[in-house]
Structures are given as C-alpha cells and as structure tokens.
Amino acid sequence: MDKFPDQKRAVQYLYPPIDPFDQRMLAVGQGHTIYVEQCGNPDGIPVVVLHGGPGGGCSPSMRRYFDPSKFRVILFDQRGCGRSKPHASVTDNTTWHLVADIEMIRRELGIEQWIVFGGSWGATLSLIYAQTHPEAVRNLVLRGVFLMMQSELDWFYGGGAGKFWPEVWARFTSLIPEDEQDDLIKAYHRRLFSGDISVEQRYGRAWAAWENALASIHSTGGSNEGPAEYARAFSRLENHYFTNAGFLEFDGQILAHMLRISHIPGVIVQGRYDMICPPGSAYQLAENWMQCELKMVRNAGHALSEPGISAELVRAMDRIGAQG
C-alpha cells in the first residue's frame, strides 16, 4: 500500500512502452552527429523532448508521457551524450549549437510547428529555443525549472542545498582540497578535463552522485552513480556549460526576454521540495509569463520520475492533445 493515498508509482500514470518508428543519426556540423528518434503517430501533433543535464541523454521512459495515438514524439541526444558522437566532447558544444540542432531536426522532419517539452536543463533549453524561434513553438511544457542564473548555481554548488544534505555535501566537497573549495565548479573542471581518463571518471562519478542523491524527495542520500563513462560524459558536459554560464549574454537573460514568447501557452510542473532547482525560479518565470499555468506539486522533488510530477505532465499533455 502506498504511504500516501494519492501517491501511486510514477509508471502508473504513464502510457505503455512503445518503440520508435524512426531512428537516425543526423550530422549537424562541426564533426557532431546526433541520435534522433520518432515514436507515436507519424501524423500526430509533433512534440520534441529536450532532456536534462546538460549531458543526460534521452531514455525510453520519456516516450511514455504522450498518448501515442495523438502525438508524434521526437527525442534526441544532445551533442556529446547518449548515442550522439563524439562522446563526451565539449568542442563546438554550446547552447547556441544546441538551438541550431533543434531547428535542424524540425526542418529535417518537415515540421512547421511543435510542442517543446523539457525538464531541468531541458526547460532552460526549451525557453532559449522558443525565444530564438518563437514562430516554431505552439506550446511549452516545462518541469523543474532552471533559468541558468548564477544564483541557482550558487545554491547547488555553493552550499545552499548542502545545508539540507550535509553528509552528502561533505562527500562531494571532500575530494577537493580546502583551498579550492570556494569555487567547486572550477575545481571539478580542472579534474574533469585533466586528460587522465581515470581521474575524469572518478570525479565525474562524484559530480553526478551529488546531483543524483538530491533528485528525489524520497532520497536517503545514497546514489546510483551508473557506468563510469556515462558519469564522465554527463559531468564534463554539465560542468562545461556551468563554467560558461550557459553561454548566455548576461545573467537573467531568459527572464529578460520573456516578452518574445508571452503569446505562447505554457505549463510549468514544479516540485515543491525540489532541492536541485528550487521553486523560486519557476515562480519567477510564471510571474513573467502571461500565458503560463504553474502547477506546484506537493510532496515532490526534482526527478521526472516523481509520481506527482509524472501525473501532472501526462495531464498537461492530455489536455493539449484533446484540443487538437
């Protein structure tokens, strides 16, 4: 029996597993080739899924948030991660390269307008893509909002979240000498790009473990680090983007440019107890977006797999699907 009567397992809210009807590798330039797949209804409402990280890659479970009879679902692995090549590469890998890649996918697939669905870093990228190509976006559905602001990085890598998880924070910081702990992003950067694969994997697993341990509201502080090479790619890409402030022109750029997409309908699904991306950013975003509906989910953290998060995302997509 569920501990909370309204908390089912996330999978109970999702559509059944499906296989892609199309899989391809798309050359996007600068030596990068990205993995792209389509599933659902080839004649359905197009929706592109932007995964988190940066560097998280897409997974089969991401296909299941959409009614396969109504939606044409496009997933892809962003540069340097998942099945995209070259693996773990940060060369010619910026936010603006990714925005161009998304637009290339849209044109390659002959899509005039689509729904953009993204969580965490995927929400960041969704907003930046929509602000760059507003004519291509009919709806935005976002989860665990991250606005790529310094205050958010300071929270997660400067000790804010660590005050709630001191033992996990101690594990994360203990690998770095005390005289470098004033800037952990920079300190980890030195090691993630040391050129020694074993060192990069060790620090990659530690970087990923800190984030993974805080993803779920039900976390006990442990973390499944996953394969070393996956952790290395994820951590290198994430650190690369954070070191460069998301390659934005100025801090707060997304909020400053919200007028560009004020006409686009949006839904934000946010966990009330999200330790990675606290709800302040989602609230700020909603306050600056007239066409947005903010769903604050109680008893939920950051993870896409949180039952309350999954339920609200499926409901949002079902409502959009019903509108046609």
Side-chain angles (χ1 to χ4, degrees):
M1 187 173 179
D2 293 318
K3 185 174 181 181
F4 302 102
D6 61 343
Q7 288 283 300
K8 301 178 184 178
R9 292 175 61 240
V11 70
Q12 293 177 262
Y13 295 106
L14 305 183
Y15 285 93
I18 55 172
D19 293 322
F21 64 77
D22 171 47
Q23 294 174 288
R24 63 182 79 183
M25 298 297 292
L26 180 65
V28 291
Q30 300 87 39
H32 284 272
T33 306
I34 61 173
Y35 170 81
V36 182
E37 69 173 44
Q38 300 187 77
C39 58
N41 182 352
D43 299 315
I45 303 167
V47 52
V48 62
V49 179
L50 305 186
H51 66 68
C58 60
S59 68
S61 66
M62 294 178 183
R63 305 167 187 159
R64 302 179 59 187
Y65 288 79
F66 316 95
D67 183 339
S69 69
K70 293 185 177 178
F71 290 102
R72 175 185 178 187
V73 185
I74 299 100
L75 297 92
F76 73 100
D77 291 330
Q78 296 161 27
R79 292 190 182 204
C81 69
R83 288 148 287 190
S84 297
K85 303 294 180 184
H87 189 66
S89 172
V90 298
T91 303
D92 295 310
N93 194 338
T94 72
T95 304
W96 306 106
H97 287 105
L98 301 186
V99 167
D101 293 349
I102 297 166
E103 190 62 1
M104 182 180 288
I105 293 168
R106 185 181 70 82
R107 295 183 180 186
E108 176 78 10
L109 299 181
I111 294 169
E112 183 176 348
Q113 207 176 43
W114 54 8
I115 299 162
V116 182
F117 179 104
S120 195
W121 160 255
T124 319
L125 188 57
S126 296
L127 289 161
I128 296 169
Y129 170 76
Q131 290 176 350
T132 308
H133 299 284
E135 72 290 342
V137 181
R138 57 167 281 180
N139 297 80
L140 281 162
V141 179
L142 310 177
R143 184 266 313 169
V145 167
F146 174 54
L147 298 177
M148 196 60 252
M149 296 191 298
Q150 187 60 46
S151 59
E152 295 166 310
L153 295 178
D154 290 345
W155 159 264
F156 200 64
Y157 295 103
K163 288 182 171 59
F164 288 85
W165 291 91
E167 72 281 22
V168 186
W169 178 248
R171 284 204 304 267
F172 180 59
T173 59
S174 65
L175 295 177
I176 302 298
E178 283 191 22
D179 62 354
E180 293 183 64
Q181 289 184 10
D182 60 324
D183 189 340
L184 288 166
I185 293 175
K186 184 177 180 180
Y188 266 86
H189 184 85
R190 291 192 187 101
R191 292 151 179 89
L192 289 168
F193 295 89
S194 67
D196 183 326
I197 294 294
S198 64
V199 171
E200 292 179 3
Q201 288 180 344
R202 181 189 178 204
Y203 283 87
R205 296 183 84 163
W207 176 279
W210 162 239
E211 183 167 331
N212 291 340
L214 273 63
S216 171
I217 195 172
H218 299 296
S219 174
T220 59
S223 174
N224 179 9
E225 296 173 344
E229 191 50 33
Y230 170 86
R232 172 178 173 265
F234 171 82
S235 301
R236 278 168 57 92
L237 285 164
E238 199 168 74
N239 183 281
H240 166 68
Y241 273 76
F242 296 168
T243 296
N244 289 284
F247 300 93
L248 300 184
E249 294 176 15
F250 58 91
D251 195 42
Q253 178 176 320
I254 292 173
L255 288 175
H257 289 171
M258 283 307 294
L259 277 178
R260 297 181 182 182
I261 60 170
S262 60
H263 62 288
I264 299 175
V267 177
I268 299 171
V269 176
Q270 178 71 37
R272 173 68 71 184
Y273 301 105
D274 188 332
M275 281 286 159
I276 297 173
C277 299
S281 291
Y283 183 79
Q284 272 189 286
L285 181 64
E287 288 288 283
N288 286 274
W289 189 359
M290 290 183 61
Q291 296 294 318
C292 168
E293 179 182 12
L294 173 60
K295 294 283 189 179
M296 200 72 77
V297 183
R298 69 182 188 93
N299 298 329
H302 183 73
L304 176 62
S305 59
E306 298 269 15
I309 301 288
S310 289
E312 286 294 346
L313 288 170
V314 171
R315 286 189 197 113
M317 292 309 305
D318 284 350
R319 285 198 304 270
I320 294 170
Q323 295 165 5

